[in-house]
Amino acid sequence: LMFVNEIEGILDSMDPAQFTLICQPLFQQLVRCIVSPHFQVAERTLAMWRNTYIVNLITDNIHLILPIVLSGIYRHSRSHWNRNIHNQVFQVLRFFVNVNEEMFEQCLA
């Protein structure tokens, strides 16, 4: 949990150009947190999608982030034991569809 809290704090003050440089390895690690069987880790990571600044960073780099995140959480969306995690994953998937539905569909193909 401390890792995710620290990451969110860093991202809140990060320049968008810097974010672009680190977003792929960062989201590879965040996907591991999302698919964690520890529901608090998954829940806290998914809560980052409620942070407006981070959502804007994700949206601006959707072409880099979506393939990484989607491959990890789509198949995990129904297998986590905690029902709240199912709902939050669904909300994140819906976010990606709303940002770029065509790219979402391409990543699923």
Side-chain angles (χ1 to χ4, degrees):
L1 289 175
M2 290 183 351
F3 169 75
V4 178
N5 289 334
E6 289 297 318
I7 291 295
E8 185 170 16
I10 292 168
L11 292 178
D12 269 336
S13 60
M14 184 173 274
D15 180 67
Q18 290 175 318
F19 179 80
T20 300
L21 296 174
I22 60 104
C23 69
Q24 289 177 303
L26 173 64
F27 276 84
Q28 288 171 349
Q29 183 60 43
L30 291 176
V31 166
R32 289 185 194 114
C33 294
I34 292 169
V35 301
S36 170
H38 192 295
F39 84 94
Q40 288 175 320
V41 172
E43 187 174 58
R44 180 65 190 94
T45 308
L46 290 163
M48 291 175 63
W49 269 262
R50 290 187 224 129
N51 181 312
T52 304
Y53 185 69
I54 294 173
V55 165
N56 289 334
L57 292 172
I58 293 169
T59 301
D60 292 344
N61 294 280
I62 195 77
H63 62 287
L64 299 172
I65 295 170
L66 180 59
I68 294 167
V69 174
L70 191 59
S71 68
I73 69 171
Y74 187 76
R75 62 179 183 266
H76 185 70
S77 63
R78 295 188 180 138
S79 64
H80 199 280
W81 65 269
N82 186 296
R83 197 75 180 139
N84 290 330
I85 300 303
H86 290 246
N87 294 335
Q88 287 181 330
V89 167
F90 178 74
Q91 289 172 2
V92 168
L93 292 172
R94 188 170 30 187
F95 160 79
F96 284 125
V97 168
N98 291 337
V99 170
N100 191 330
E101 185 174 358
E102 183 178 331
M103 183 176 222
F104 183 89
E105 294 296 330
Q106 288 175 355
C107 288
L108 287 179

Short mmCIF file of all heavy atoms in Angstrom, two decimals, residues 43-106:
data_model
loop_
_atom_site.label_atom_id
_atom_site.label_comp_id
_atom_site.label_asym_id
_atom_site.label_seq_id
_atom_site.Cartn_x
_atom_site.Cartn_y
_atom_site.Cartn_z
N GLU A 43 -7.37 -2.53 -4.58
CA GLU A 43 -8.32 -1.45 -4.40
C GLU A 43 -7.63 -0.08 -4.41
O GLU A 43 -8.08 0.86 -5.07
CB GLU A 43 -9.07 -1.66 -3.09
CG GLU A 43 -10.21 -0.71 -2.84
CD GLU A 43 -10.95 -1.12 -1.57
OE1 GLU A 43 -10.31 -1.18 -0.50
OE2 GLU A 43 -12.16 -1.38 -1.68
N ARG A 44 -6.52 0.02 -3.72
CA ARG A 44 -5.79 1.29 -3.65
C ARG A 44 -5.22 1.67 -5.01
O ARG A 44 -5.23 2.83 -5.40
CB ARG A 44 -4.67 1.20 -2.60
CG ARG A 44 -3.86 2.46 -2.46
CD ARG A 44 -4.75 3.59 -1.92
NE ARG A 44 -4.05 4.84 -2.00
CZ ARG A 44 -4.13 5.71 -3.00
NH1 ARG A 44 -4.90 5.46 -4.03
NH2 ARG A 44 -3.45 6.84 -2.96
N THR A 45 -4.74 0.69 -5.75
CA THR A 45 -4.21 0.96 -7.09
C THR A 45 -5.31 1.42 -8.03
O THR A 45 -5.15 2.38 -8.77
CB THR A 45 -3.50 -0.28 -7.65
OG1 THR A 45 -2.54 -0.75 -6.70
CG2 THR A 45 -2.81 0.03 -8.97
N LEU A 46 -6.44 0.75 -7.98
CA LEU A 46 -7.57 1.14 -8.84
C LEU A 46 -8.11 2.52 -8.46
O LEU A 46 -8.67 3.22 -9.31
CB LEU A 46 -8.67 0.08 -8.75
CG LEU A 46 -8.32 -1.25 -9.42
CD1 LEU A 46 -9.24 -2.35 -8.94
CD2 LEU A 46 -8.36 -1.11 -10.93
N ALA A 47 -7.94 2.92 -7.22
CA ALA A 47 -8.40 4.23 -6.78
C ALA A 47 -7.63 5.36 -7.46
O ALA A 47 -8.10 6.50 -7.49
CB ALA A 47 -8.28 4.35 -5.26
N MET A 48 -6.48 5.07 -8.03
CA MET A 48 -5.72 6.10 -8.74
C MET A 48 -6.51 6.66 -9.91
O MET A 48 -6.28 7.79 -10.33
CB MET A 48 -4.37 5.55 -9.20
CG MET A 48 -3.43 5.27 -8.05
SD MET A 48 -1.87 4.50 -8.55
CE MET A 48 -1.17 5.76 -9.57
N TRP A 49 -7.46 5.90 -10.44
CA TRP A 49 -8.28 6.37 -11.55
C TRP A 49 -9.30 7.41 -11.10
O TRP A 49 -10.03 7.96 -11.91
CB TRP A 49 -8.97 5.20 -12.25
CG TRP A 49 -8.16 4.65 -13.38
CD1 TRP A 49 -8.32 4.96 -14.69
CD2 TRP A 49 -7.08 3.72 -13.33
NE1 TRP A 49 -7.40 4.28 -15.45
CE2 TRP A 49 -6.61 3.51 -14.64
CE3 TRP A 49 -6.45 3.05 -12.29
CZ2 TRP A 49 -5.57 2.65 -14.94
CZ3 TRP A 49 -5.40 2.20 -12.59
CH2 TRP A 49 -4.98 2.00 -13.89
N ARG A 50 -9.34 7.72 -9.82
CA ARG A 50 -10.21 8.79 -9.31
C ARG A 50 -9.45 10.12 -9.19
O ARG A 50 -10.04 11.13 -8.86
CB ARG A 50 -10.79 8.41 -7.95
CG ARG A 50 -11.81 7.30 -8.07
CD ARG A 50 -12.50 7.04 -6.75
NE ARG A 50 -12.55 5.61 -6.56
CZ ARG A 50 -12.16 4.96 -5.49
NH1 ARG A 50 -11.70 5.60 -4.45
NH2 ARG A 50 -12.24 3.66 -5.43
N ASN A 51 -8.15 10.08 -9.44
CA ASN A 51 -7.31 11.27 -9.37
C ASN A 51 -7.32 11.95 -10.74
O ASN A 51 -6.82 11.39 -11.72
CB ASN A 51 -5.89 10.87 -8.96
CG ASN A 51 -4.96 12.04 -8.82
OD1 ASN A 51 -4.89 12.90 -9.68
ND2 ASN A 51 -4.22 12.05 -7.73
N THR A 52 -7.87 13.15 -10.79
CA THR A 52 -8.07 13.84 -12.06
C THR A 52 -6.76 14.07 -12.82
O THR A 52 -6.69 13.87 -14.03
CB THR A 52 -8.76 15.20 -11.83
OG1 THR A 52 -9.98 14.96 -11.13
CG2 THR A 52 -9.07 15.90 -13.13
N TYR A 53 -5.73 14.46 -12.11
CA TYR A 53 -4.45 14.72 -12.78
C TYR A 53 -3.87 13.44 -13.38
O TYR A 53 -3.40 13.43 -14.53
CB TYR A 53 -3.44 15.35 -11.81
CG TYR A 53 -2.14 15.74 -12.48
CD1 TYR A 53 -2.10 16.79 -13.40
CD2 TYR A 53 -0.97 15.05 -12.22
CE1 TYR A 53 -0.92 17.14 -14.04
CE2 TYR A 53 0.22 15.39 -12.84
CZ TYR A 53 0.24 16.44 -13.75
OH TYR A 53 1.42 16.77 -14.38
N ILE A 54 -3.93 12.35 -12.63
CA ILE A 54 -3.42 11.07 -13.12
C ILE A 54 -4.26 10.58 -14.30
O ILE A 54 -3.73 10.07 -15.29
CB ILE A 54 -3.34 10.03 -11.99
CG1 ILE A 54 -2.27 10.47 -10.98
CG2 ILE A 54 -3.03 8.64 -12.53
CD1 ILE A 54 -2.20 9.63 -9.73
N VAL A 55 -5.56 10.76 -14.22
CA VAL A 55 -6.44 10.37 -15.34
C VAL A 55 -6.06 11.15 -16.60
O VAL A 55 -6.03 10.59 -17.69
CB VAL A 55 -7.92 10.59 -14.97
CG1 VAL A 55 -8.82 10.56 -16.19
CG2 VAL A 55 -8.36 9.53 -13.98
N ASN A 56 -5.74 12.44 -16.44
CA ASN A 56 -5.32 13.23 -17.60
C ASN A 56 -3.99 12.71 -18.17
O ASN A 56 -3.82 12.66 -19.39
CB ASN A 56 -5.20 14.71 -17.23
CG ASN A 56 -6.56 15.35 -17.01
OD1 ASN A 56 -7.55 14.90 -17.57
ND2 ASN A 56 -6.60 16.37 -16.19
N LEU A 57 -3.06 12.35 -17.29
CA LEU A 57 -1.79 11.77 -17.77
C LEU A 57 -2.04 10.46 -18.53
O LEU A 57 -1.45 10.22 -19.58
CB LEU A 57 -0.85 11.51 -16.59
CG LEU A 57 -0.28 12.73 -15.87
CD1 LEU A 57 0.49 12.29 -14.62
CD2 LEU A 57 0.62 13.55 -16.79
N ILE A 58 -2.91 9.62 -17.97
CA ILE A 58 -3.24 8.35 -18.62
C ILE A 58 -3.89 8.60 -19.98
O ILE A 58 -3.52 7.97 -20.98
CB ILE A 58 -4.16 7.50 -17.72
CG1 ILE A 58 -3.41 7.05 -16.47
CG2 ILE A 58 -4.71 6.29 -18.49
CD1 ILE A 58 -4.31 6.43 -15.40
N THR A 59 -4.83 9.52 -20.02
CA THR A 59 -5.54 9.83 -21.26
C THR A 59 -4.58 10.32 -22.34
O THR A 59 -4.67 9.91 -23.49
CB THR A 59 -6.64 10.87 -21.00
OG1 THR A 59 -7.54 10.35 -20.02
CG2 THR A 59 -7.42 11.19 -22.27
N ASP A 60 -3.65 11.18 -21.95
CA ASP A 60 -2.67 11.71 -22.91
C ASP A 60 -1.72 10.64 -23.43
O ASP A 60 -1.12 10.81 -24.50
CB ASP A 60 -1.87 12.84 -22.29
CG ASP A 60 -2.70 14.08 -22.02
OD1 ASP A 60 -3.82 14.19 -22.57
OD2 ASP A 60 -2.24 14.94 -21.24
N ASN A 61 -1.56 9.56 -22.70
CA ASN A 61 -0.63 8.48 -23.08
C ASN A 61 -1.35 7.15 -23.27
O ASN A 61 -0.76 6.08 -23.07
CB ASN A 61 0.46 8.35 -22.01
CG ASN A 61 1.34 9.57 -21.97
OD1 ASN A 61 2.24 9.71 -22.78
ND2 ASN A 61 1.07 10.47 -21.03
N ILE A 62 -2.60 7.23 -23.64
CA ILE A 62 -3.44 6.03 -23.74
C ILE A 62 -2.83 4.99 -24.70
O ILE A 62 -2.92 3.78 -24.45
CB ILE A 62 -4.88 6.40 -24.17
CG1 ILE A 62 -5.83 5.24 -23.93
CG2 ILE A 62 -4.95 6.87 -25.59
CD1 ILE A 62 -6.23 5.07 -22.51
N HIS A 63 -2.17 5.45 -25.75
CA HIS A 63 -1.58 4.53 -26.73
C HIS A 63 -0.45 3.71 -26.13
O HIS A 63 -0.17 2.61 -26.60
CB HIS A 63 -1.10 5.32 -27.96
CG HIS A 63 -0.03 6.32 -27.65
ND1 HIS A 63 -0.30 7.50 -26.97
CD2 HIS A 63 1.29 6.30 -27.89
CE1 HIS A 63 0.83 8.18 -26.83
NE2 HIS A 63 1.81 7.48 -27.37
N LEU A 64 0.19 4.20 -25.08
CA LEU A 64 1.26 3.46 -24.41
C LEU A 64 0.75 2.60 -23.25
O LEU A 64 1.28 1.53 -22.98
CB LEU A 64 2.31 4.44 -23.87
CG LEU A 64 3.03 5.32 -24.89
CD1 LEU A 64 3.88 6.36 -24.18
CD2 LEU A 64 3.86 4.47 -25.83
N ILE A 65 -0.29 3.09 -22.58
CA ILE A 65 -0.76 2.47 -21.34
C ILE A 65 -1.82 1.41 -21.56
O ILE A 65 -1.80 0.35 -20.93
CB ILE A 65 -1.27 3.56 -20.37
CG1 ILE A 65 -0.09 4.46 -19.97
CG2 ILE A 65 -1.95 2.96 -19.16
CD1 ILE A 65 -0.50 5.70 -19.21
N LEU A 66 -2.74 1.67 -22.46
CA LEU A 66 -3.87 0.75 -22.64
C LEU A 66 -3.45 -0.69 -22.95
O LEU A 66 -3.96 -1.61 -22.31
CB LEU A 66 -4.83 1.27 -23.72
CG LEU A 66 -6.06 0.40 -23.99
CD1 LEU A 66 -6.90 0.22 -22.74
CD2 LEU A 66 -6.89 1.00 -25.11
N PRO A 67 -2.52 -0.93 -23.88
CA PRO A 67 -2.15 -2.34 -24.14
C PRO A 67 -1.59 -3.05 -22.91
O PRO A 67 -1.84 -4.24 -22.71
CB PRO A 67 -1.08 -2.23 -25.24
CG PRO A 67 -1.34 -0.91 -25.89
CD PRO A 67 -1.84 -0.01 -24.81
N ILE A 68 -0.87 -2.34 -22.08
CA ILE A 68 -0.27 -2.93 -20.88
C ILE A 68 -1.36 -3.25 -19.85
O ILE A 68 -1.44 -4.36 -19.34
CB ILE A 68 0.77 -1.97 -20.27
CG1 ILE A 68 1.94 -1.80 -21.21
CG2 ILE A 68 1.23 -2.48 -18.90
CD1 ILE A 68 2.85 -0.64 -20.86
N VAL A 69 -2.20 -2.27 -19.58
CA VAL A 69 -3.20 -2.42 -18.53
C VAL A 69 -4.29 -3.41 -18.96
O VAL A 69 -4.68 -4.28 -18.19
CB VAL A 69 -3.81 -1.06 -18.14
CG1 VAL A 69 -4.95 -1.23 -17.16
CG2 VAL A 69 -2.74 -0.15 -17.56
N LEU A 70 -4.74 -3.28 -20.18
CA LEU A 70 -5.84 -4.13 -20.64
C LEU A 70 -5.46 -5.60 -20.62
O LEU A 70 -6.26 -6.44 -20.18
CB LEU A 70 -6.29 -3.71 -22.03
CG LEU A 70 -7.58 -4.33 -22.52
CD1 LEU A 70 -8.73 -4.01 -21.58
CD2 LEU A 70 -7.89 -3.86 -23.92
N SER A 71 -4.26 -5.92 -21.06
CA SER A 71 -3.87 -7.34 -21.09
C SER A 71 -3.87 -7.95 -19.69
O SER A 71 -4.19 -9.12 -19.52
CB SER A 71 -2.49 -7.50 -21.73
OG SER A 71 -1.49 -6.94 -20.90
N GLY A 72 -3.54 -7.15 -18.69
CA GLY A 72 -3.51 -7.67 -17.33
C GLY A 72 -4.85 -7.71 -16.64
O GLY A 72 -5.19 -8.71 -16.01
N ILE A 73 -5.62 -6.65 -16.77
CA ILE A 73 -6.84 -6.59 -15.95
C ILE A 73 -8.06 -7.19 -16.61
O ILE A 73 -8.98 -7.58 -15.92
CB ILE A 73 -7.14 -5.15 -15.46
CG1 ILE A 73 -7.57 -4.23 -16.57
CG2 ILE A 73 -5.97 -4.61 -14.68
CD1 ILE A 73 -8.07 -2.88 -16.09
N TYR A 74 -8.08 -7.28 -17.94
CA TYR A 74 -9.28 -7.81 -18.59
C TYR A 74 -9.54 -9.25 -18.17
O TYR A 74 -10.64 -9.59 -17.76
CB TYR A 74 -9.16 -7.70 -20.11
CG TYR A 74 -10.44 -8.09 -20.81
CD1 TYR A 74 -11.52 -7.22 -20.83
CD2 TYR A 74 -10.56 -9.32 -21.44
CE1 TYR A 74 -12.70 -7.57 -21.46
CE2 TYR A 74 -11.73 -9.67 -22.08
CZ TYR A 74 -12.79 -8.80 -22.09
OH TYR A 74 -13.96 -9.15 -22.70
N ARG A 75 -8.51 -10.07 -18.23
CA ARG A 75 -8.73 -11.47 -17.85
C ARG A 75 -8.88 -11.64 -16.34
O ARG A 75 -9.42 -12.61 -15.85
CB ARG A 75 -7.64 -12.36 -18.42
CG ARG A 75 -6.27 -12.07 -17.94
CD ARG A 75 -5.26 -13.04 -18.56
NE ARG A 75 -3.96 -12.78 -18.02
CZ ARG A 75 -3.05 -12.00 -18.57
NH1 ARG A 75 -3.32 -11.42 -19.73
NH2 ARG A 75 -1.90 -11.79 -18.00
N HIS A 76 -8.40 -10.65 -15.60
CA HIS A 76 -8.50 -10.69 -14.13
C HIS A 76 -9.83 -10.10 -13.63
O HIS A 76 -10.19 -10.29 -12.48
CB HIS A 76 -7.33 -9.91 -13.54
CG HIS A 76 -7.26 -9.99 -12.05
ND1 HIS A 76 -6.92 -11.14 -11.38
CD2 HIS A 76 -7.49 -9.07 -11.09
CE1 HIS A 76 -6.95 -10.91 -10.08
NE2 HIS A 76 -7.28 -9.67 -9.88
N SER A 77 -10.55 -9.46 -14.52
CA SER A 77 -11.74 -8.71 -14.10
C SER A 77 -12.81 -9.57 -13.42
O SER A 77 -13.57 -9.06 -12.60
CB SER A 77 -12.37 -7.99 -15.29
OG SER A 77 -12.81 -8.91 -16.26
N ARG A 78 -12.82 -10.85 -13.72
CA ARG A 78 -13.84 -11.71 -13.12
C ARG A 78 -13.27 -12.73 -12.15
O ARG A 78 -14.02 -13.45 -11.50
CB ARG A 78 -14.61 -12.42 -14.21
CG ARG A 78 -15.40 -11.47 -15.06
CD ARG A 78 -16.30 -12.19 -16.00
NE ARG A 78 -17.03 -11.21 -16.80
CZ ARG A 78 -17.25 -11.32 -18.07
NH1 ARG A 78 -16.82 -12.37 -18.73
NH2 ARG A 78 -17.91 -10.39 -18.72
N SER A 79 -11.95 -12.79 -12.06
CA SER A 79 -11.38 -13.86 -11.25
C SER A 79 -10.98 -13.44 -9.84
O SER A 79 -10.68 -14.30 -9.02
CB SER A 79 -10.16 -14.46 -11.97
OG SER A 79 -9.14 -13.49 -12.09
N HIS A 80 -10.96 -12.15 -9.55
CA HIS A 80 -10.59 -11.72 -8.20
C HIS A 80 -11.69 -12.13 -7.23
O HIS A 80 -12.87 -12.08 -7.53
CB HIS A 80 -10.37 -10.21 -8.15
CG HIS A 80 -9.56 -9.79 -6.96
ND1 HIS A 80 -10.11 -9.65 -5.71
CD2 HIS A 80 -8.26 -9.48 -6.84
CE1 HIS A 80 -9.17 -9.28 -4.87
NE2 HIS A 80 -8.03 -9.16 -5.53
N TRP A 81 -11.30 -12.53 -6.06
CA TRP A 81 -12.25 -13.03 -5.06
C TRP A 81 -13.10 -11.92 -4.45
O TRP A 81 -14.18 -12.19 -3.93
CB TRP A 81 -11.51 -13.80 -3.97
CG TRP A 81 -10.59 -12.93 -3.15
CD1 TRP A 81 -9.27 -12.70 -3.39
CD2 TRP A 81 -10.92 -12.18 -1.99
NE1 TRP A 81 -8.75 -11.85 -2.45
CE2 TRP A 81 -9.75 -11.50 -1.57
CE3 TRP A 81 -12.08 -11.99 -1.24
CZ2 TRP A 81 -9.71 -10.67 -0.46
CZ3 TRP A 81 -12.05 -11.16 -0.13
CH2 TRP A 81 -10.87 -10.51 0.25
N ASN A 82 -12.65 -10.66 -4.53
CA ASN A 82 -13.37 -9.56 -3.89
C ASN A 82 -14.29 -8.87 -4.90
O ASN A 82 -13.84 -8.39 -5.94
CB ASN A 82 -12.36 -8.57 -3.31
CG ASN A 82 -13.02 -7.48 -2.50
OD1 ASN A 82 -13.78 -6.68 -3.03
ND2 ASN A 82 -12.70 -7.44 -1.21
N ARG A 83 -15.56 -8.80 -4.57
CA ARG A 83 -16.56 -8.23 -5.48
C ARG A 83 -16.32 -6.75 -5.75
O ARG A 83 -16.58 -6.27 -6.86
CB ARG A 83 -17.96 -8.45 -4.87
CG ARG A 83 -19.04 -8.28 -5.86
CD ARG A 83 -19.06 -9.51 -6.76
NE ARG A 83 -20.10 -9.39 -7.73
CZ ARG A 83 -19.96 -9.73 -8.99
NH1 ARG A 83 -18.85 -10.21 -9.42
NH2 ARG A 83 -20.95 -9.60 -9.83
N ASN A 84 -15.82 -6.00 -4.77
CA ASN A 84 -15.55 -4.58 -4.98
C ASN A 84 -14.46 -4.39 -6.04
O ASN A 84 -14.51 -3.43 -6.81
CB ASN A 84 -15.13 -3.90 -3.68
CG ASN A 84 -16.28 -3.78 -2.72
OD1 ASN A 84 -17.44 -3.68 -3.11
ND2 ASN A 84 -15.97 -3.80 -1.43
N ILE A 85 -13.51 -5.30 -6.07
CA ILE A 85 -12.45 -5.22 -7.08
C ILE A 85 -13.05 -5.45 -8.47
O ILE A 85 -12.69 -4.75 -9.42
CB ILE A 85 -11.32 -6.24 -6.79
CG1 ILE A 85 -10.69 -5.96 -5.42
CG2 ILE A 85 -10.27 -6.22 -7.90
CD1 ILE A 85 -10.14 -4.57 -5.22
N HIS A 86 -13.99 -6.37 -8.60
CA HIS A 86 -14.67 -6.59 -9.88
C HIS A 86 -15.28 -5.28 -10.36
O HIS A 86 -15.11 -4.91 -11.53
CB HIS A 86 -15.81 -7.62 -9.73
CG HIS A 86 -15.37 -9.00 -9.49
ND1 HIS A 86 -15.57 -10.00 -10.39
CD2 HIS A 86 -14.75 -9.56 -8.43
CE1 HIS A 86 -15.10 -11.13 -9.91
NE2 HIS A 86 -14.59 -10.88 -8.72
N ASN A 87 -15.98 -4.60 -9.47
CA ASN A 87 -16.65 -3.36 -9.84
C ASN A 87 -15.67 -2.27 -10.23
O ASN A 87 -15.88 -1.55 -11.21
CB ASN A 87 -17.54 -2.88 -8.69
CG ASN A 87 -18.70 -3.81 -8.43
OD1 ASN A 87 -19.14 -4.54 -9.32
ND2 ASN A 87 -19.18 -3.83 -7.20
N GLN A 88 -14.58 -2.15 -9.49
CA GLN A 88 -13.59 -1.12 -9.80
C GLN A 88 -12.87 -1.42 -11.11
O GLN A 88 -12.59 -0.51 -11.89
CB GLN A 88 -12.60 -0.96 -8.66
CG GLN A 88 -13.21 -0.28 -7.45
CD GLN A 88 -12.19 -0.10 -6.33
OE1 GLN A 88 -11.27 -0.90 -6.18
NE2 GLN A 88 -12.37 0.95 -5.55
N VAL A 89 -12.56 -2.68 -11.35
CA VAL A 89 -11.93 -3.05 -12.62
C VAL A 89 -12.88 -2.73 -13.77
O VAL A 89 -12.47 -2.20 -14.80
CB VAL A 89 -11.51 -4.54 -12.63
CG1 VAL A 89 -11.17 -5.01 -14.04
CG2 VAL A 89 -10.35 -4.76 -11.69
N PHE A 90 -14.15 -3.03 -13.60
CA PHE A 90 -15.14 -2.71 -14.63
C PHE A 90 -15.17 -1.21 -14.90
O PHE A 90 -15.24 -0.79 -16.05
CB PHE A 90 -16.52 -3.22 -14.21
CG PHE A 90 -17.59 -2.87 -15.21
CD1 PHE A 90 -17.67 -3.55 -16.42
CD2 PHE A 90 -18.50 -1.87 -14.96
CE1 PHE A 90 -18.64 -3.22 -17.36
CE2 PHE A 90 -19.48 -1.54 -15.88
CZ PHE A 90 -19.54 -2.22 -17.08
N GLN A 91 -15.08 -0.39 -13.86
CA GLN A 91 -15.07 1.06 -14.05
C GLN A 91 -13.83 1.52 -14.82
O GLN A 91 -13.91 2.40 -15.67
CB GLN A 91 -15.14 1.77 -12.70
CG GLN A 91 -16.49 1.64 -12.03
CD GLN A 91 -16.50 2.18 -10.61
OE1 GLN A 91 -15.50 2.67 -10.11
NE2 GLN A 91 -17.65 2.07 -9.96
N VAL A 92 -12.69 0.91 -14.54
CA VAL A 92 -11.47 1.25 -15.27
C VAL A 92 -11.59 0.82 -16.73
O VAL A 92 -11.22 1.57 -17.64
CB VAL A 92 -10.22 0.62 -14.60
CG1 VAL A 92 -9.00 0.72 -15.50
CG2 VAL A 92 -9.96 1.28 -13.26
N LEU A 93 -12.14 -0.37 -16.97
CA LEU A 93 -12.36 -0.81 -18.35
C LEU A 93 -13.30 0.13 -19.08
O LEU A 93 -13.06 0.49 -20.24
CB LEU A 93 -12.90 -2.24 -18.37
CG LEU A 93 -11.94 -3.34 -17.91
CD1 LEU A 93 -12.68 -4.67 -17.78
CD2 LEU A 93 -10.75 -3.45 -18.83
N ARG A 94 -14.34 0.57 -18.41
CA ARG A 94 -15.29 1.52 -19.00
C ARG A 94 -14.59 2.85 -19.31
O ARG A 94 -14.85 3.47 -20.34
CB ARG A 94 -16.49 1.73 -18.08
CG ARG A 94 -17.58 2.54 -18.73
CD ARG A 94 -18.85 2.57 -17.93
NE ARG A 94 -18.56 2.45 -16.51
CZ ARG A 94 -19.48 2.32 -15.58
NH1 ARG A 94 -20.74 2.27 -15.91
NH2 ARG A 94 -19.15 2.24 -14.31
N PHE A 95 -13.70 3.29 -18.41
CA PHE A 95 -12.93 4.50 -18.64
C PHE A 95 -12.15 4.38 -19.96
O PHE A 95 -12.16 5.29 -20.79
CB PHE A 95 -11.97 4.75 -17.46
CG PHE A 95 -10.81 5.65 -17.79
CD1 PHE A 95 -10.98 7.02 -17.82
CD2 PHE A 95 -9.56 5.12 -18.07
CE1 PHE A 95 -9.92 7.86 -18.14
CE2 PHE A 95 -8.50 5.95 -18.37
CZ PHE A 95 -8.67 7.33 -18.41
N PHE A 96 -11.45 3.25 -20.15
CA PHE A 96 -10.67 3.06 -21.36
C PHE A 96 -11.55 3.05 -22.61
O PHE A 96 -11.17 3.60 -23.63
CB PHE A 96 -9.83 1.78 -21.27
CG PHE A 96 -8.62 1.91 -20.40
CD1 PHE A 96 -8.41 1.02 -19.36
CD2 PHE A 96 -7.69 2.91 -20.61
CE1 PHE A 96 -7.28 1.12 -18.55
CE2 PHE A 96 -6.56 3.03 -19.80
CZ PHE A 96 -6.36 2.13 -18.77
N VAL A 97 -12.71 2.43 -22.52
CA VAL A 97 -13.64 2.43 -23.66
C VAL A 97 -14.06 3.85 -23.98
O VAL A 97 -14.09 4.26 -25.16
CB VAL A 97 -14.87 1.55 -23.37
CG1 VAL A 97 -15.96 1.76 -24.41
CG2 VAL A 97 -14.48 0.08 -23.31
N ASN A 98 -14.36 4.63 -22.96
CA ASN A 98 -14.80 6.01 -23.18
C ASN A 98 -13.70 6.89 -23.75
O ASN A 98 -13.96 7.81 -24.52
CB ASN A 98 -15.33 6.62 -21.88
CG ASN A 98 -16.63 6.01 -21.45
OD1 ASN A 98 -17.36 5.45 -22.25
ND2 ASN A 98 -16.92 6.08 -20.17
N VAL A 99 -12.46 6.62 -23.39
CA VAL A 99 -11.33 7.43 -23.88
C VAL A 99 -11.03 7.10 -25.34
O VAL A 99 -10.86 8.00 -26.17
CB VAL A 99 -10.08 7.23 -23.00
CG1 VAL A 99 -8.85 7.86 -23.65
CG2 VAL A 99 -10.30 7.82 -21.63
N ASN A 100 -10.98 5.81 -25.66
CA ASN A 100 -10.65 5.43 -27.04
C ASN A 100 -11.20 4.04 -27.31
O ASN A 100 -10.50 3.03 -27.15
CB ASN A 100 -9.13 5.46 -27.24
CG ASN A 100 -8.74 5.34 -28.70
OD1 ASN A 100 -9.43 4.72 -29.49
ND2 ASN A 100 -7.62 5.95 -29.05
N GLU A 101 -12.43 3.98 -27.73
CA GLU A 101 -13.11 2.70 -27.95
C GLU A 101 -12.44 1.89 -29.05
O GLU A 101 -12.29 0.67 -28.94
CB GLU A 101 -14.57 2.92 -28.28
CG GLU A 101 -15.36 1.64 -28.41
CD GLU A 101 -16.84 1.86 -28.59
OE1 GLU A 101 -17.29 3.01 -28.58
OE2 GLU A 101 -17.55 0.85 -28.72
N GLU A 102 -12.00 2.56 -30.10
CA GLU A 102 -11.36 1.84 -31.21
C GLU A 102 -10.07 1.16 -30.75
O GLU A 102 -9.85 -0.01 -31.07
CB GLU A 102 -11.06 2.81 -32.35
CG GLU A 102 -10.46 2.15 -33.57
CD GLU A 102 -10.21 3.14 -34.70
OE1 GLU A 102 -10.93 4.16 -34.79
OE2 GLU A 102 -9.27 2.89 -35.47
N MET A 103 -9.27 1.87 -30.00
CA MET A 103 -8.03 1.27 -29.51
C MET A 103 -8.31 0.15 -28.53
O MET A 103 -7.62 -0.87 -28.53
CB MET A 103 -7.15 2.33 -28.86
CG MET A 103 -5.83 1.80 -28.39
SD MET A 103 -4.81 3.11 -27.76
CE MET A 103 -3.27 2.64 -28.47
N PHE A 104 -9.33 0.32 -27.69
CA PHE A 104 -9.74 -0.71 -26.76
C PHE A 104 -10.07 -2.00 -27.52
O PHE A 104 -9.60 -3.08 -27.15
CB PHE A 104 -10.94 -0.22 -25.94
CG PHE A 104 -11.40 -1.18 -24.89
CD1 PHE A 104 -10.86 -1.13 -23.62
CD2 PHE A 104 -12.39 -2.11 -25.16
CE1 PHE A 104 -11.29 -2.01 -22.62
CE2 PHE A 104 -12.83 -2.99 -24.18
CZ PHE A 104 -12.28 -2.94 -22.91
N GLU A 105 -10.87 -1.87 -28.56
CA GLU A 105 -11.26 -3.04 -29.35
C GLU A 105 -10.05 -3.68 -30.04
O GLU A 105 -9.95 -4.89 -30.12
CB GLU A 105 -12.32 -2.65 -30.38
CG GLU A 105 -13.64 -2.21 -29.80
CD GLU A 105 -14.36 -3.30 -29.04
OE1 GLU A 105 -14.20 -4.50 -29.37
OE2 GLU A 105 -15.11 -2.96 -28.09
N GLN A 106 -9.13 -2.85 -30.53
CA GLN A 106 -7.92 -3.38 -31.17
C GLN A 106 -7.07 -4.17 -30.18
O GLN A 106 -6.50 -5.20 -30.53
CB GLN A 106 -7.10 -2.25 -31.77
CG GLN A 106 -7.69 -1.64 -33.01
CD GLN A 106 -6.90 -0.43 -33.50
OE1 GLN A 106 -5.95 0.00 -32.85
NE2 GLN A 106 -7.31 0.12 -34.61
#
